[in-house]
């Protein structure tokens, strides 16, 4: 998810016990960082996630339904697990970041249950110093594991980071080869999951994978207004200590003028709002790419639409299949009032100023049986 | 609870995958609706409910006290269970509602514990088309069950719903016969509950059922200011997706000018505030009737008073008995500053503009022993 | 923690079922008060505490890390337990308080785990009527116990309380002898705790007890903006029903003009912010003294610095030792921009108007091994 928002620099404390984070010259190709503060996720996080987003996805709401599909209990929301795992990387990677440039190859590998403890490790997989010599781009692959050392999530992101010592030599440029999407055969579809007897009365929608048409667009009708308290509660819940979300005094000195909403909260709101029309999208399998197109602030109201990008069968499975979706987040105007994400500006196509999110992801949805 | 607030109409999405809800002509007498999204209630919901309301009822706060009374654990707050069960009905019943006209015969049938999963089913028990031919009233009986299929809650409500096809024929008028209150002998008093050894030091009040006098009024001293973030967190926690609580852009186009507080949140705040003076009201047995007299908005401060309407013994029980109470919610002025709920307006009695709730309900309270 | 903020008097209800609380003449030396509403703390409280404060202390975040140190699970945050235990005393002690004058000898005696139920008992240990005959100071020692009757917390506080009957005779003056700090040999260091194999990669900091220098100051870089919804959610979570935190209508009639943030929430925010630079401060052992120097309101942004007051070994332990710290909370200006807590005002030293907290406390931190 590219993000041109984050150029906020603050003085590091002079006491060396306060980490000033990593600068571009501190990263080495192949370097491994074990991020601090493993986190146990409990029933409280599960309820708070619903309260903060209004999420109604069945798999995360109803223990018996999850069990009827083969899960040992209701897994925590995919995005809750992601935000907590991601939050771990902020102190080491994003503190001196100029911009969060992009995400790719986000894979949901294994369900996370209440009681699990997540830890995140990142590896530097690419480096490229900028031509101005003042900053560079760092590519990281991160993996979150649970307390049984099972990988539950992995992703790549790349961020632009300041140099501290401008005289430090530029590293050899190395740019990783990243997939534009995670193909069906690479998705981690749980072997225990059996959706043949999926009961659509639990979700209230009879629209299954078979019914979605490549190219169709769904304008999700509901809107959700964000309060400053909401988004900061979410950010703190994820132990994401990026200061631009929580420190209003600091942000008043920036061009933004106020706290920025954590982009992950916007993704969560859009996913929750997209429930009306995608009720049987049981779980997120992968996020292929995404852009935070414009900043979101407290008091903004989020709407969303979905476009069906593609439909894939899963080898060996006739109970469940994949929808590849484009989820677009819009602020302060209903989804149906906006025809496209882009407008022409001086002959160039740019994002409409009210478009805040453009996300390419895949979900698992039951197929119609027999 | 009558509610003249809710005439907010929004365009249904044109994609048929987005349900546009039911219109008046879609309901049939005897029709059964299984509402979507069963919900597991965990420890997180319990804590959030306390945090959102300040509730201090002993049975829901203290596991050992609940167990000493015969419960297997602390049951979740009666109103938390109600709001979650009620929220399930919103997508099917209230989406095209003009007004939530009333409630009756709300019965709390069985304790709900952390870990339980609630599902709600509704049956159409009455229909009456309005004389204008554009809308009608639908009477529904709803029952929430837990994962063991035990009924835990039941209630009747009636709502005024738009017609979509004005040419659809009017159904035969059928109005159910509803009780004005749930009598003592019909209340579900748990057989395991034994309040003979109830320890009033756990609640801090020695006032038991014997001490309350029919006709007395208690002005509860505390007030509670509602923030927009609070009430929307509550509404989302209940997965109640009625848009008038959460979409400020939409509400700015209405006469209200801003999001409305979910009426159930007001009931919860009044119940929590009424703890000072009703400390030994262990649990709600029934709600007989109620009116949301005026709308409540963010930044309003809620106060409440209680009138003792009646006192009933329970056949076969000398440890516990019933108080029938009237709970009045007032906004932005302390309860003690208002003598009555009604004022004269052009020769008619109407609710005082600061009265927001008028609720008739019954509670179980221990009797003095020996 | 002295507190000159709280002179807010409100009319007691005239119905005797509503307790009007205790006045100065109601307290007797040696009197014991069992406070109402024992409270079970669950997973929900744990998650909410993180969401409300952004706390990242490892012992409360990560079950496996807590277990590796000998705990049976992750204990709930020390301050969460304190705020809940403290909240119990408010209805009996603080309702008619003019000011919360101070705290001393706050001891964290035993870990609190999810599922524990806390009850609080207070004993009057000192009384002194003021010379004006209208009020007096009450000294209370409070002890919170869990459901196994194990003491988990104890503290002394003294409050100035109104007299109701001015003609009531003054009690004999009795002022308890209070320690200025809890010495290392009196701290409750868990015998099961074994920090010899503490893994600093879990906290991200290699700075152990050995590395801190008496007299050094750490300016913690992050700031946290408080929203009205946040602090009232926290106060309600603790079932602290002091009205000046929650009733905006009442507070608008005072010189403050709005709700006051519960002082305990400020302590929690400062402790959470102080994580950057004190990552290995595993747990709070005692609070020696504290002052709420100036009021905090919604929209204030809190910063904090820490001074190392002292370093103590613990008799018989070489795995862990004590840091005595001074934690200073500042509103609306970064910690590094303020050199000292006090300024000269008409020849007198007074707290800088932006300093909101001055707390003297001790933490346990692992020592460098071998």
């Amino acid at each position: 998810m590219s993000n041109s928002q984050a150029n906020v620099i603050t003085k590091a404390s002079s006491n060396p016990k306060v980490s000033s984070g990593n600068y571009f010259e501190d990263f080495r190709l192949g370097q491994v960082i074990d991020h601090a503060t493993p986190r146990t996720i409990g029933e409280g996080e599960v309820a708070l996630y619903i309260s903060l987003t209004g999420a109604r996805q069945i798999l995360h709401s109803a223990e018996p339904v999850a069990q009827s599909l083969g899960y040992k209990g209701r897994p925590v929301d995919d995005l809750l697990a992601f935000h907590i795992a991601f939050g771990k990387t902020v102190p080491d990677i994003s503190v001196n970041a100029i911009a969060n440039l992009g995400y790719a190859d986000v894979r949901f590998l294994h369900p996370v249950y209440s009681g699990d403890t997540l830890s995140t490790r990142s590896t530097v997989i690419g480096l490229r110093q900028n031509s101005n010599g003042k900053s560079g781009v760092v590519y990281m692959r991160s993996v979150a594991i649970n307390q049984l050392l099972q990988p539950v999530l992995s992703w790549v992101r790349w961020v632009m980071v300041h140099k501290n010592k401008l005289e430090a030599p530029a590293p050899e440029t190395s740019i990783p080869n990243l997939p534009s999407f995670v193909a069906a055969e690479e998705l981690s579809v749980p072997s225990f999951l059996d959706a043949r007897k999926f009961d659509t009365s639990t979700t209230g929608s009879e629209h299954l994978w078979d019914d979605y048409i490549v190219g169709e667009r769904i304008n999700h009708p509901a809107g959700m207004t964000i309060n400053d308290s909401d988004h900061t509660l979410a950010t703190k819940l994820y132990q994401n200590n990026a200061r631009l979300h929580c420190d209003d005094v600091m942000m008043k000195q920036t061009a933004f003028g106020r706290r920025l909403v954590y982009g992950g909260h916007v993704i969560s709101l859009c996913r929750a709002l997209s429930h009306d029309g995608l009720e049987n999208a049981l779980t997120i399998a992968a996020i292929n790419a995404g852009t935070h197109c414009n900043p979101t602030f407290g008091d903004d109201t989020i709407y969303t639409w979905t476009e069906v990008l593609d439909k894939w069968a899963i080898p060996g499975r006739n109970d469940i299949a994949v929808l590849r979706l484009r989820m677009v987040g819009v602020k302060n105007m209903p989804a149906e009032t906006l025809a496209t994400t882009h407008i022409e500006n001086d002959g160039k196509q740019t994002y409409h100023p009210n478009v805040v999110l453009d996300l390419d992801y895949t979900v698992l949805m039951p197929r119609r049986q027999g």
Side-chain angles (χ1 to χ4, degrees), chain A:
Chain A
M1 303 150 193
S2 73
N3 186 333
S4 56
Q5 313 167 352
N7 192 351
V8 177
I9 312 168
T10 53
K11 269 198 287 184
S13 166
S14 54
N15 187 310
K17 291 197 177 64
V18 177
S19 168
S20 53
N22 290 304
Y23 290 93
F24 180 68
E25 69 270 20
D26 298 322
F27 292 102
R28 296 280 170 272
L29 197 67
Q31 178 184 359
V32 174
I33 302 174
D34 284 310
H35 303 292
T37 326
R39 169 74 173 277
T40 305
I41 302 177
E43 287 290 326
E45 280 80 0
V46 170
L48 265 164
Y49 188 80
I50 292 174
S51 192
L52 290 163
T53 65
R56 288 175 286 144
Q57 277 74 32
I58 189 66
L59 200 54
H60 316 304
S61 289
E63 184 96 357
V65 176
Q67 289 171 337
S68 75
L69 291 167
Y71 289 84
K72 69 177 192 184
R74 55 177 177 157
V76 310
D77 195 286
D78 314 295
L79 293 171
L80 169 59
F82 177 77
H83 298 324
I84 286 180
F86 175 81
K88 299 299 151 208
T89 69
V90 169
D92 298 308
I93 297 181
S94 319
V95 164
N96 301 305
I98 298 165
N100 195 11
L101 295 174
Y103 272 65
D105 202 16
V106 183
R107 300 183 188 212
F108 294 81
L109 301 169
H110 193 276
V112 177
Y113 296 101
S114 175
D116 282 355
T117 300
L118 301 192
S119 311
T120 306
R121 165 180 287 187
S122 299
T123 305
V124 178
I125 59 168
L127 289 169
R128 192 196 70 210
Q129 182 163 312
N130 288 331
S131 55
N132 65 11
K134 295 181 178 173
S135 58
V137 177
V138 183
Y139 295 79
M140 315 281 302
R141 180 176 292 282
S142 300
V143 179
I145 59 170
N146 66 17
Q147 71 284 358
L148 302 173
L149 312 186
Q150 295 167 313
V152 297
L153 270 167
S154 73
W155 67 92
V156 172
R157 72 161 164 148
W158 51 107
V159 292
M160 191 181 299
V161 182
H162 284 286
K163 288 186 80 169
N164 188 31
K165 299 175 185 162
L166 298 189
E167 70 280 13
E172 192 173 348
T173 292
S174 165
I175 298 176
N177 196 10
L178 295 171
S180 62
F181 62 89
V182 185
E185 55 272 22
E186 292 178 43
L187 296 175
S188 296
V189 182
S191 56
F192 60 75
L193 169 60
D194 181 352
R196 284 176 295 177
K197 295 184 179 162
F198 179 67
D199 177 1
T200 57
S201 79
T202 63
T203 63
S205 169
E206 295 178 356
H207 301 290
L208 295 170
W209 179 81
D210 312 73
D211 305 315
Y212 288 83
I213 301 159
V214 173
E216 79 172 311
R217 170 171 159 165
I218 304 163
N219 292 321
H220 308 291
M224 182 68 66
T225 305
I226 301 173
N227 294 103
D228 273 323
S229 195
D230 305 346
H231 75 82
T232 54
L233 286 170
T235 305
K236 289 180 286 185
L237 179 66
Y238 308 142
Q239 297 181 313
N240 177 333
N241 67 327
R243 294 164 61 187
L244 71 183
H245 307 312
C246 286
D247 183 340
D248 209 42
V249 166
M250 181 185 86
M251 293 306 291
K252 280 195 164 62
Q253 299 164 17
T254 69
F256 297 117
R258 58 184 303 186
R259 287 167 284 175
L260 275 171
V261 175
Y262 163 51
H265 188 56
V266 176
I267 299 175
S268 286
L269 291 181
C270 289
R271 167 79 171 135
L273 292 168
S274 76
H275 184 68
D276 290 318
L278 287 171
E279 288 87 346
N280 294 321
L282 292 180
T283 184
I284 300 177
I287 298 174
N288 300 308
T291 303
H292 293 297
C293 321
N294 283 291
T296 302
F297 301 102
D299 304 324
D300 281 344
T301 299
I302 301 297
Y303 298 89
T304 194
W305 84 69
T306 295
E307 300 169 27
V308 179
L309 297 180
D310 212 342
K311 292 178 64 171
W312 304 328
I314 300 172
R317 302 289 299 245
N318 63 7
D319 61 330
I320 201 155
V322 180
L323 289 181
R324 183 178 172 189
L325 304 171
R326 182 190 189 195
M327 179 166 77
V328 177
V330 185
K331 64 179 178 184
N332 304 327
M333 45 192 296
E336 64 192 6
T337 63
L338 197 60
T340 59
T341 53
H342 284 69
I343 54 173
E344 193 173 297
N345 206 339
D346 279 339
K348 284 191 298 186
Q349 289 286 313
T350 61
Y351 275 106
H352 186 286
N354 289 56
V355 172
V356 292
L357 178 71
D358 190 355
L359 193 87
D360 175 342
Y361 75 119
T362 50
V363 297
L364 301 183
M365 191 179 281
R367 300 178 68 158
R368 184 155 288 116
Q369 296 301 303

